[in-house]
Every structure is written in C-alpha cells, then in structure tokens.
Amino acid sequence: MKLDSVRELKQSLPVHLSKTFAVRAAAGRTASLAVSRAAALERVTPSYFLGVSARGKKDYRLALRLQDRALEKSELVEQCRAKAKGEIDVRYVGRVRAAAAPWYRSRQRPLLIGSSIGFLANGFVMAGTLGCFVRSGRSSALYILSNNHVLADENRYPKRGHIVQPGTLDRGSPSADRVAELTRFVRLDPAQTNLVDCAIAKLNPAMAADLHKLKGIGTLAGQRRTDLETGAVVHKVGRTTGVRHGRVTAFELDGVTVEYDLGILTFDNQIEIEGSGQRSFSDAGDSGSLIVDDDMMASALLFAGGDHGGSNGKGVTYANPINAVLQALAVTLA
Amino acid sequence: MPVSLERARAAKESAKALLGSLPGLAGVGITKLGEDYALKVNLREALPPGMSVPERIDDVPVCVEVVGTIRKRS
C-alpha cells in the first residue's frame, strides 16, 4: 500500500472504532471478574492504537497495536483487517508505561545501600540516600547511617521519628514504608565549625537488610583507615544519580561553606570529589551516599555539592571522612 | 625538592589567616600538582577586578577554583 493510502485509512478508522468498543471487547472476555476489576479495565483505555508500518521500500501497511490480549481475536481486529484489505500488521504490545523508577528510587526489601530514604516532613516530600549499615556498642542491633539532614531534618526531627524507604519524594508511604527510627545525630551548628553531617536510625525489628552490597559497584570490603588523598578513584551509588565514579580533587579542606535550611554552615577537614567523564559525581538527593575507594573500602559520607568547577565543569561534591563520621556517632560498620 | 604534605599543611594555616577575609571564600584545602602538594583555594564567585590570590603561599603553589554555591545534596 502507498503511504498516503495508509494515512488516509488510518484517519478514517478512529471515527468508526471508538474507545468504548475496545473497552467492551476487553471486558467481554473477563465477564466473570469482579466489578472492581472491570472498573480497572475501563481505566486502561484506549486499549489499542493505530499507526503506519513499513514492509519494504514504498510498501506500507496499517499498524494496529493492541494493549489488551482480549482484543487479539476481536471484532475490532477483523474490522480493521477488512478496511485495510488485509494490508495490516497486528501486534500485541501490552501496556505502554512511562519508564519505571530505577531501583534506587524504589522500595527495596531487603534494604539496600544507595536506595532512597528519608524522614516524614510536614507539608513537603523529600528523599536522601541510605549510606550503609552500622552497629553501636556491643549490641547486635542494626542502624542505618546517613546524613543528619536526611534522617534528622537538620536537628529538628524528634528522637524515634519514623524513617521511610523509599523517601516520600519517591512515593514512600508514611505508614507502610517505615523501616527505622531516628536514634541519634551529630548536631549541625550554624554558629561553629562542623566536621560531619551524620545520623543513625535503628532498623525496625525483623527489617531485613543486605549489609554489604553496593548494587552496580560491588561488595563493601571494610573501612579505609587512612584519609583519601588527591587523585584517589572513588565510587558511590545514590538515590538521584545511581552509580557514579569520581576522583578526589582536594582533601583536608577547611572553611567549606554549605547552604542549609539552618543557614550557611562551615565545615572543616572535608574531601572534594569531581565526577569521571562528562558527569557530576552527585546531585540533589544523593546526600548520605557512602563513598568507597577502588578497593571497595568505605571512605567517606557524601553530604554537599555544587554545579560549578571540576575539570569537566560539572561541579564538585563534598564528603565527610568516614572515620570522623563513625567516631562522632560511636558506631562501627556492620 | 617536592613540596611535602607537612609543608602544605603548614602553608594551609598561613593561607587561612591570609585569605580569611576574602569575599566569597568557600574553602582552603590541599591538592596535588604533579608530585608536589599544593593549596586549593575555592571561591563562590570570581574575585572583583583588582583582587587576586597569591600564586604561592609560604612557597607552596596555590590553585584557585570557582566552585559556585555549595548546598546540601538533598
């Protein structure tokens, strides 16, 4: 068929084949299902769509794409086939959905390092990143490690406040997705120099966690004992940008000024990282990500960044040395 | 003789004292230039005309970079 003929045919069809027809045809095969299911079927309309399919050079057919299996042997297909005089390409394609959220912005059970997490905010939604799992003292209880501003809302969240995974920005349910309770945090202080932005939240009983897997990177091997130096290759997985690789551009940075809700805070002894290739190392929502070195050793906790600078111009990221974080919270890696 | 980490650390303290009142100072740290340790001076924005950061402090090289505004990442 010529392209113009197919186009003409395509234009003529929707007039005769309404969405209602498709829904009825779909529902017809499932008459025994409960009413609620029938209502669900109605929501998926339209159940088919039309297009043009090329068979060869200057040889075209009407394309009919079905979103419901029930339509495959329906009157709809036969009518279209007759109108197209057999010059038709019918295929079942199922439901066409917007791209699904990546795993790190989705619900993860067991809990995974790098996934979305956050506190329950009043009047807004938020999300940061689950850094890793730690233990406190001799107890076997597990805690989530992330930033103060991810788990404790910059000192404002109450002790034992609920932590949800995924965070509410990623549609975490304030009730069904509670996974932990805020235990303690290092206070962020606008009036003094800060060293860390960190907090821990105790996992709810029976909440399973994959303690060492950094999906897309490898298995956490332990804790780096020396500070990262310039040139060290590092990796992280976080809620917004997923897996990113980078390189340390400076260390022992003092007087790093960072904008918070509390105001501008100053941090000493920080690590600066730029992203590899043409990408940034992090973006908003990656706060709390655990940063590992090339040997998969926990090295730093990501907390801040900007959009300028770095040799690729994609901005720089700032992180607290992991030793300072674990020491300040009196915890050890799980 | 290459600049050692110890010399760079000492120079960092001098730099903090020297540059403390610089408008838009966003951090002073340590980096590397080849084999040498060096100072890294971060600024939120370019310095006004007529102002500059010394190329060396206590004979340790200084790298200056505009990093923009730094925000918490959530």
Side-chain angles (χ1 to χ4, degrees):
Chain A
M1 216 185 309
K2 286 183 178 170
L3 184 57
D4 285 349
S5 308
V6 182
R7 281 180 177 150
E8 202 175 304
L9 175 65
K10 181 175 160 250
Q11 288 300 316
S12 73
L13 278 166
V15 180
H16 304 293
L17 300 166
S18 67
K19 288 178 190 175
T20 321
F21 177 95
V23 173
R24 206 182 300 125
R29 280 273 294 271
T30 55
S32 63
L33 293 179
V35 173
S36 61
R37 289 296 306 276
L41 279 169
E42 265 190 292
R43 283 203 305 271
V44 304
T45 58
S47 299
Y48 68 95
F49 49 94
L50 295 163
V52 178
S53 160
R55 186 158 50 179
K57 218 174 182 182
K58 295 183 181 174
D59 186 10
Y60 301 91
R61 292 183 297 175
L62 180 70
L64 175 58
R65 299 293 180 255
L66 307 175
Q67 297 185 272
D68 194 311
R69 287 264 184 218
L71 287 173
E72 280 182 313
K73 291 177 181 172
S74 68
E75 200 182 330
L76 162 77
V77 174
E78 291 317 308
Q79 282 189 20
C80 290
R81 197 182 301 281
K83 282 257 184 192
K85 295 187 174 67
E87 298 281 302
I88 188 168
D89 172 22
V90 184
R91 284 184 213 177
Y92 167 71
V93 293
R95 295 279 305 280
V96 180
R97 297 167 194 267
W103 69 265
Y104 38 84
R105 279 176 230 156
S106 309
R107 191 171 195 267
Q108 296 297 325
R109 305 289 183 277
L111 294 173
L112 273 184
I113 288 171
S115 60
S116 166
I117 202 161
F119 58 85
L120 298 176
N122 270 331
F124 66 97
V125 290
M126 64 76 63
T129 298
L130 190 165
C132 64
F133 301 97
V134 296
R135 290 195 169 93
S136 178
R138 291 179 190 160
S139 164
S140 61
L142 285 168
Y143 299 80
I144 288 165
L145 172 67
S146 186
N147 294 138
N148 174 324
H149 77 263
V150 171
L151 298 179
D153 191 17
E154 298 183 26
N155 313 332
R156 294 172 292 207
Y157 207 46
K159 197 177 172 187
R160 302 203 64 187
H162 296 293
I163 302 301
V164 291
Q165 195 292 313
T168 49
L169 178 62
D170 298 314
R171 301 182 174 198
S173 160
S175 52
D177 287 327
R178 293 175 183 178
V179 298
E181 291 180 350
L182 176 65
T183 306
R184 61 177 176 269
F185 55 85
V186 175
R187 181 163 285 276
L188 291 167
D189 191 343
Q192 288 187 38
T193 299
N194 298 270
L195 295 173
V196 289
D197 175 352
C198 58
I200 56 169
K202 190 175 187 179
L203 283 196
N204 291 343
M207 180 57 61
D210 197 329
L211 299 183
H212 302 126
K213 181 179 181 181
L214 274 77
K215 196 170 175 176
I217 302 177
T219 304
L220 188 59
Q223 179 186 347
R224 186 184 165 106
R225 299 293 167 179
T226 56
D227 287 341
L228 287 169
E229 282 207 23
T230 301
V233 172
V234 290
H235 319 272
K236 76 100 187 54
V237 53
R239 176 264 163 202
T240 302
T241 59
V243 174
R244 289 280 166 99
H245 312 284
R247 191 182 69 90
V248 173
T249 47
F251 62 101
E252 296 183 18
L253 268 159
D254 294 345
V256 178
T257 50
V258 183
E259 284 191 4
Y260 281 78
D261 296 348
L262 285 171
I264 294 178
L265 272 63
T266 304
F267 288 81
D268 273 5
N269 196 32
Q270 301 304 304
I271 299 162
E272 184 186 85
I273 297 162
E274 65 177 18
S276 298
Q278 287 306 305
R279 302 170 113 181
S280 65
F281 187 66
S282 70
D283 209 337
D286 287 330
S287 264
S289 298
L290 182 72
I291 296 168
V292 295
D293 64 14
D294 230 9
D295 297 320
M296 291 301 299
M297 302 292 267
S299 303
L301 191 68
L302 195 158
F303 78 108
D307 302 327
H308 291 81
S311 60
N312 61 10
K314 302 293 182 185
V316 288
T317 294
Y318 291 93
N320 311 143
I322 200 69
N323 295 333
V325 168
L326 298 179
Q327 198 173 2
L329 288 165
V331 293
T332 53
L333 285 183
Chain B
M1 207 169 85
V3 176
S4 68
L5 181 55
E6 286 63 36
R7 268 182 63 200
R9 280 178 174 147
K12 187 178 86 171
E13 296 311 311
S14 301
K16 283 160 66 178
L18 188 69
L19 306 172
S21 57
L22 204 65
L25 185 67
V28 179
I30 297 173
T31 187
K32 262 191 145 180
L33 281 177
E35 290 301 302
D36 283 331
Y37 282 97
L39 297 181
K40 180 143 192 274
V41 174
N42 289 343
L43 303 170
R44 272 191 294 281
E45 54 196 16
L47 289 173
M51 289 188 81
S52 65
V53 175
E55 288 180 11
R56 298 181 83 87
I57 294 174
D58 293 351
D59 209 24
V60 172
V62 178
C63 307
V64 180
E65 185 174 30
V66 175
V67 295
T69 300
I70 304 302
R71 294 187 176 87
K72 62 174 181 172
R73 279 289 207 214
S74 76

